[in-house]
Amino acid sequence: IEPMISIKPSILLIIEAKAPHSIKIEGDITLGGLFPVHSRGPAGVPCGDIKKEKGIHRMEAMLYALDQINSDPDLLPNITLGARILDTCSRDTYALEQSLTFVQALIQKDNSDVRCSNGEPPIIPKPERVIGVIGASASSVSIMVANVLRLFAIPQISYASTAPELSDNNRYDFFSRVVPPDSFQAQAMVDIVKAMGWNYVSTLASEGNYGESGVDAFLQISREAGGLCIAQSIKIPREPRPGEFDKIIKRLMETSNARGVIIFANEDDIKRVLEAAKRANLTGHFLFVGSDSWGAKIAPILNQEDVAEGAVTILPKRASIEGFDQYFTSRSLENNRRNIWFAEFWEDDFKCKLTRPGIKLDSGQRKCTGEERIGRDSPYEQEGKVQFVIDAVYAMAHALHSMHIDLCPGSTSICDRMDPVEGRLLLKYIRAVNFNGSAGTGVMFNEDGDAPGRYDIFQYQLSNTTSPGYKIIGQWTNHLRLSAEDMQWSGGDKQVPDSVCSFPCEPGERKRMVKGVPCCWHCELCDGYQFLLDEFNCDMCPFDMRPTLNRTGCRPTPIIKLEWSSPWAIIPVFLAVLGILATTGVIVTFIRFNDTPIVRASGRELSYVLLTGIFLIYLITFLMIAEPGAVVCAFRRLLLGLGMCISYAAMLTKTNRIYRIFEQGKKSVTPPKFISPTSQLIITFILISVQVCGIFIWFGVVPPHTIIDFEELRPPNPELARGILKCDMSDLSLIGCLSYSMVLMVTCTIYAIKSRGVPETFNEAKPIGFTMYTTCIIWLAFVPIFFGTAQSTEKMFIQTTTLTVSMSLSATVSLGMLYIPKVYVIIFHPEQNVQKRKRSFKAVAQAAAVSSRLSQKSSDKQNGETKAEADRSQ
């Protein structure tokens, strides 16, 4: 059922009065056409200058397509297509007024109140019936017109409107288009941005359906895809005020890192944006990605080529139609009178003026001769949407052809079932068409009336090329194919510029996101012993590991030990070797001269015990430096305190014996108990056994083993971190191991102090005293050095060296004070190694008394030590 709207004649007269200048092509079936023949006029004027390419080229493409169809014997044979073509003047409100022409035939006219002067009803000619409309160009115009045409069920096929809003089949159910919607274009542009590694861009949109819908689609797809942030989303007013574009550039520079600018704007706005960027001296800064309104057109970038260099633009895949070129370049004033705007085009294209009766030419104006030829006397390049205009007309023709076959079988003309053509049924046939278009690509529609997305990707290149201009660098057909090697940027640079909010963090740096802006972050270094767990988090390395140099993982901490070649080892080893050689020399000397008076007087048994302890003290140096192992650790525990324990136990026994002898001599002539050599050895070994028992109890409780200490050498700089291979002896256990020896040493020192009044010709009390004083000083110095280096990065080396050197020095003091003088006399002054006569009567008496008491107490067990002491007192 055809929709009919009743309307009063007075209103009809207004509509007819506003009937526009149009092109009328007679035919059996009439198609409507909407083209932006003129640009938008200034305020108060609907139309401006003629648009040669987007207006005349496209309109002539429809005329060319009609000619081709009407001359095709296989497509709508014996049926002629006509047309009513209107000018939209690039303004949606004006286009709406013009499009009312298409619905006049569907308006039911109420003539009941209209009479002629003779009383007869008027004869009103029936207006032509438009069964479908080709157009419009701008999305805002198509939307305005579609809202009217759907009321009258008139199908509409656009050749250039790409707004995603028009895909709404509920609101624009009679609208179809042979170009893909901006949602496809927006997807392609998102893919381009991502392919270039950009994640921070701004958008520019001309106010209106095309610009705003395109940007909205881009924003929605980028949100769904993720990884892309919008720095600024700026709308260009429909009627921009002076300085508006300079303000836009200033706003874009507020987020200067967002160099990529996605632009859905008309030609005029694009041109003015480029001009403003040039005025701001920002040539080469912005990286434009333009929609199909920019495409491969020269007009938007004319005289702004340096600013536009590197711009990537998108255009529905198209081809230049050779037949149209031949047709259009052959048009002249004589053979193209059907185009009422062709004369105006002629004047603008050839920069001349056609003469009219009574009108004189202005000075400087050239008169048109009519002999000019397009492409010969003026530049010509086929406009990009010509192919789609032709495809739109052919889509309507193929739909009518299929409809005619189904409704009028066997008929060579329009039958009653197609008179009039029912709009809703025609829409069904339009949506079902599938044919190869003028460029050889398939023309079809989906359920929303949209054509499939097929785009060419262009880049405007100015440098390093013999022919500056737009160059195809890729394609998009549901997915992007981009030739990165064919791209170049400002100045001919091949490196893709950056358009990112934040640059990637260096290895070992985590991202600290900026709240609300997922593409912006601050980079923070994972410090200390942290490594980069993921791009947002740092984590601590395990205790036995340290971060790699780039902090992307952890690596084992190097294990170290005190090496024999280390300076920290060389000095202790040197001292120990000298000490061992000296001790060995003393022992050999004493063995060789075992029965001489000096050796006998020194107390041979305890001397050998004491020398053994000194030897072990020197020997422990090698165990402290040797690579830790279970056996080495066991001997460290055993010998570390044992050598000192043996030495100081022997010296304590000696000083205790001397002290008791002379203290007893002051009171009576009875000798004290346990002063025989055997008793002295037993006392010494009892004292030593305490140390040995403690060591073996320690063995039982905690068996000796090695550990790797990762905490001791773990400075703030992980590159200096080391794991130390060591025995399981803490500083406390080490001191505990030596503590018993310290007690013996202090006790011995006390007895040495108490025995300092004994005659020096009689005993070793004074040498032992000097030995103990010096040893105490050494160990008093040892304590602050040992514990004062606990925080040093070379703690292990310093403490090991301090300990071994202190022990070697204490052993050397004992050896030097007690035995080196004796060895010197034995070897170099053997004449002094004899028994001496008494030199004092008092001394002889004392010695005799002591000797008598000793003889009674010790009887036959008394050895040469007691006799030697008695001899020295004589």
Side-chain angles (χ1 to χ4, degrees):
I1 300 173
E2 290 292 339
M4 301 293 289
I5 296 179
S6 297
I7 190 167
K8 292 292 183 181
S10 57
I11 299 177
L12 181 62
L13 290 175
I14 293 174
I15 295 175
E16 290 175 347
K18 289 191 175 182
H21 294 294
S22 61
I23 295 176
K24 170 63 178 173
I25 307 295
E26 296 294 338
D28 302 320
I29 297 175
T30 301
L31 303 179
L34 292 171
F35 294 93
V37 179
H38 293 86
S39 63
R40 181 185 304 170
V45 181
C47 300
D49 297 332
I50 196 164
K51 299 179 77 169
K52 295 191 295 183
E53 296 172 344
K54 293 181 72 172
I56 297 298
H57 282 210
R58 294 179 181 180
M59 189 204 66
E60 287 288 350
M62 180 174 180
L63 297 177
Y64 167 77
L66 291 174
D67 292 343
Q68 296 296 308
I69 293 167
N70 290 334
S71 62
D72 189 342
D74 299 321
L75 184 61
L76 292 175
N78 299 319
I79 296 176
T80 303
L81 288 181
R84 171 71 70 177
I85 300 175
L86 307 176
D87 180 11
T88 65
C89 290
S90 306
R91 190 187 295 271
D92 50 2
T93 53
Y94 182 79
L96 178 62
E97 295 176 4
Q98 305 300 306
S99 63
L100 293 177
T101 303
F102 299 143
V103 301
Q104 288 184 32
L106 299 177
I107 296 175
Q108 183 177 353
K109 300 165 187 174
D110 184 3
N111 299 325
S112 58
D113 296 336
V114 180
R115 289 288 183 271
C116 294
S117 58
N118 58 3
E120 296 293 324
I123 300 174
I124 301 175
K126 184 178 181 181
E128 63 185 347
R129 185 183 183 90
V130 174
I131 58 95
V133 175
I134 306 300
S137 179
S139 295
S140 57
V141 175
S142 288
I143 288 172
M144 191 76 80
V145 171
N147 284 318
V148 172
L149 296 182
R150 69 184 296 270
L151 298 176
F152 297 92
I154 299 177
Q156 175 185 2
I157 302 178
S158 174
Y159 49 82
S161 297
T162 57
E165 184 180 349
L166 289 164
S167 296
D168 187 347
N169 204 35
N170 294 320
R171 294 180 58 193
Y172 307 104
D173 45 342
F174 281 83
F175 178 85
S176 304
R177 50 187 162 190
V178 290
V179 288
D182 284 338
S183 54
F184 293 166
Q185 182 176 200
Q187 179 65 64
M189 295 172 83
V190 168
D191 291 347
I192 291 169
V193 168
K194 283 183 166 292
M196 290 188 289
W198 299 347
N199 66 6
Y200 197 52
V201 296
S202 296
T203 63
L204 270 179
S206 291
E207 185 177 0
N209 290 100
Y210 171 78
E212 295 178 50
S213 300
V215 165
D216 288 344
F218 181 87
L219 296 179
Q220 180 179 349
I221 294 170
S222 65
R223 279 194 297 267
E224 293 171 355
L228 186 60
C229 298
I230 307 302
Q232 303 257 17
S233 192
I234 301 174
K235 186 190 298 183
I236 302 171
R238 197 185 301 270
E239 301 290 344
R241 292 172 293 183
E244 186 71 38
F245 289 90
D246 294 323
K247 292 179 182 178
I248 288 172
I249 295 298
K250 188 176 180 180
R251 280 190 61 188
L252 289 174
M253 286 305 295
E254 291 174 2
T255 51
S256 57
N257 276 7
R259 296 178 62 189
V261 178
I262 313 304
I263 184 164
F264 282 84
N266 57 54
E267 290 182 34
D268 293 337
D269 288 345
I270 294 170
K271 186 175 183 65
R272 284 181 279 186
V273 166
L274 296 178
E275 289 172 347
K278 191 170 186 176
R279 283 195 301 271
N281 198 26
L282 292 172
T283 299
H285 176 79
F286 293 113
L287 312 168
F288 294 102
V289 179
S291 63
D292 60 347
S293 61
W294 185 333
K297 296 174 186 155
I298 298 298
I301 65 170
L302 193 61
N303 300 322
Q304 314 298 331
E305 290 84 353
D306 52 345
V307 185
E309 184 177 11
V312 176
T313 60
I314 190 170
L315 197 61
K317 198 169 186 62
R318 64 188 177 97
S320 182
I321 309 303
E322 186 178 348
F324 177 79
D325 288 340
Q326 295 174 356
Y327 161 82
F328 191 74
T329 54
S330 65
R331 297 298 89 191
S332 65
L333 294 171
E334 289 76 17
N335 62 17
N336 199 23
R337 294 183 181 275
R338 61 182 178 179
N339 184 347
I340 62 172
W341 298 289
F342 196 69
E344 187 179 354
F345 163 80
W346 195 269
E347 290 180 331
D348 186 79
D349 195 43
F350 295 108
K351 302 295 185 288
C352 62
K353 197 70 176 176
L354 293 170
T355 57
R356 295 177 180 84
I359 298 178
K360 295 182 179 181
L361 293 176
D362 294 335
S363 61
Q365 285 187 328
R366 185 174 66 86
K367 179 182 177 181
C368 298
T369 64
E371 300 299 322
E372 298 91 349
R373 288 294 174 263
I374 300 171
R376 185 191 71 185
D377 301 313
S378 66
Y380 165 75
E381 183 179 359
Q382 188 179 121
E383 200 275 332
K385 294 293 195 301
V386 163
Q387 166 199 340
F388 299 107
V389 175
I390 296 171
D391 288 344
V393 178
Y394 265 88
M396 195 72 78
H398 278 281
L400 289 168
H401 183 80
S402 299
M403 187 178 185
H404 182 263
I405 291 174
D406 292 343
L407 300 183
C408 307
S411 174
T412 58
S413 60
I414 296 175
C415 63
D416 292 339
R417 295 182 64 187
M418 283 188 67
D419 190 15
V421 174
E422 202 268 306
R424 194 169 296 278
L425 183 60
L426 176 59
L427 176 66
K428 179 182 176 183
Y429 281 99
I430 289 174
R431 296 289 174 86
V433 299
N434 191 341
F435 63 96
N436 286 330
S438 56
T441 55
V443 176
M444 63 194 77
F445 303 99
N446 62 16
E447 62 275 11
D448 295 323
D450 295 328
R454 289 187 291 262
Y455 296 97
D456 284 325
I457 313 298
F458 294 86
Q459 186 181 43
Y460 186 75
Q461 298 181 357
L462 192 61
S463 306
N464 301 330
T465 177
T466 54
S467 55
Y470 294 98
K471 181 179 179 182
I472 293 180
I473 57 170
Q475 298 177 342
W476 191 92
T477 308
N478 297 324
H479 65 276
L480 180 66
R481 294 188 299 275
L482 198 64
S483 301
E485 62 275 6
D486 294 333
M487 301 179 73
Q488 66 177 30
W489 306 88
S490 181
D493 188 9
K494 288 286 187 180
Q495 181 68 34
V496 179
D498 293 312
S499 182
V500 295
C501 180
S502 301
F503 289 98
C505 292
E506 296 293 328
E509 294 180 339
R510 74 179 183 94
K511 292 180 180 178
R512 185 167 173 267
M513 304 305 297
V514 175
K515 188 175 180 180
V517 190
C519 300
C520 299
W521 57 82
H522 302 297
C523 294
E524 294 182 348
L525 181 67
C526 296
D527 57 1
Y529 288 81
Q530 295 180 328
F531 73 100
L532 191 65
L533 180 64
D534 53 48
E535 62 177 327
F536 303 107
N537 297 290
C538 299
D539 198 10
M540 291 294 292
C541 285
F543 75 98
D544 59 344
M545 304 187 83
R546 60 178 179 167
T548 56
L549 288 174
N550 59 11
R551 296 184 177 270
T552 55
C554 295
R555 52 180 171 160
T557 301
I559 310 300
I560 62 169
K561 60 182 181 62
L562 186 56
E563 300 291 343
W564 294 101
S565 58
S566 169
W568 297 104
I570 291 175
I571 295 175
V573 168
F574 177 73
L575 293 176
V577 169
L578 291 180
I580 288 173
L581 292 176
T583 305
T584 304
V586 171
I587 293 173
V588 170
T589 302
F590 268 48
I591 293 173
R592 172 69 179 80
F593 300 95
N594 190 54
D595 292 323
T596 60
I598 290 180
V599 175
R600 292 172 63 192
S602 65
R604 289 174 296 186
E605 293 79 3
L606 284 181
S607 290
Y608 289 131
V609 173
L610 197 153
L611 288 168
T612 300
I614 291 173
F615 185 88
L616 293 178
I617 291 174
Y618 286 124
L619 186 63
I620 193 64
T621 296
F622 298 95
L623 292 172
M624 296 299 293
I625 296 174
E627 181 174 348
V631 175
V632 170
C633 291
F635 276 104
R636 276 191 192 179
R637 282 194 195 180
L638 181 63
L639 299 182
L640 181 61
L642 185 60
M644 292 179 64
C645 177
I646 291 172
S647 298
Y648 297 134
M651 281 192 276
L652 175 60
T653 303
K654 272 192 173 190
T655 53
N656 175 263
R657 176 177 175 271
I658 294 169
Y659 173 75
R660 287 190 294 116
I661 287 173
F662 285 96
E663 284 297 312
Q664 185 70 16
K666 293 177 183 179
K667 300 175 183 178
S668 68
V669 293
T670 304
K673 298 179 180 179
F674 309 117
I675 61 173
S676 67
T678 302
S679 300
Q680 298 295 292
L681 288 175
I682 291 172
I683 293 172
T684 300
F685 285 122
I686 289 173
L687 294 174
I688 294 171
S689 65
V690 174
Q691 174 81 14
V692 174
C693 289
I695 293 297
F696 279 99
I697 291 172
W698 189 9
F699 281 164
V701 175
V702 182
H705 61 277
T706 59
I707 60 171
I708 300 175
D709 189 347
F710 292 99
E711 295 298 328
E712 182 174 309
L713 200 53
R714 196 175 174 87
N717 183 0
E719 290 305 305
L720 301 178
R722 299 291 185 270
I724 302 174
L725 178 63
K726 59 197 294 189
C727 292
D728 61 327
M729 294 176 66
S730 65
D731 293 347
L732 187 61
S733 63
L734 186 144
I735 296 301
C737 189
L738 296 174
S739 60
Y740 181 64
S741 299
M742 299 294 183
V743 171
L744 295 177
M745 181 182 69
V746 172
T747 307
C748 185
T749 304
I750 293 171
Y751 277 111
I753 293 171
K754 289 184 176 184
S755 302
R756 66 185 182 279
V758 176
E760 58 183 71
T761 56
F762 181 80
N763 60 78
E764 293 178 305
K766 283 194 168 84
I768 290 176
F770 285 124
T771 299
M772 300 318 300
Y773 305 152
T774 308
T775 302
C776 285
I777 292 172
I778 291 171
W779 287 101
L780 285 173
F782 160 79
V783 171
I785 295 174
F786 187 85
F787 290 101
T789 58
Q791 303 302 319
S792 173
T793 56
E794 296 184 323
K795 169 188 172 183
M796 182 194 72
F797 305 137
I798 296 175
Q799 290 187 342
T800 301
T801 301
T802 302
L803 177 62
T804 53
V805 168
S806 296
M807 294 182 72
S808 294
L809 288 177
S810 62
T812 301
V813 168
S814 300
L815 189 66
M817 292 279 191
L818 300 177
Y819 294 106
I820 295 300
K822 295 179 173 63
V823 172
Y824 177 78
V825 171
I826 292 172
I827 296 176
F828 296 103
H829 296 282
E831 71 279 2
Q832 295 181 13
N833 191 9
V834 294
Q835 291 185 350
K836 296 185 178 180
R837 296 181 181 272
K838 61 182 180 180
R839 291 177 288 181
S840 168
F841 176 79
K842 184 179 179 180
V844 172
Q846 290 177 346
V850 173
S851 177
S852 175
R853 296 190 195 102
L854 291 175
S855 298
Q856 292 176 6
K857 189 69 180 178
S858 59
S859 64
D860 296 333
K861 296 180 181 179
Q862 197 172 32
N863 66 3
E865 178 185 350
T866 306
K867 295 178 181 178
E869 291 176 352
D871 291 340
R872 290 179 60 189
S873 67
Q874 295 177 354

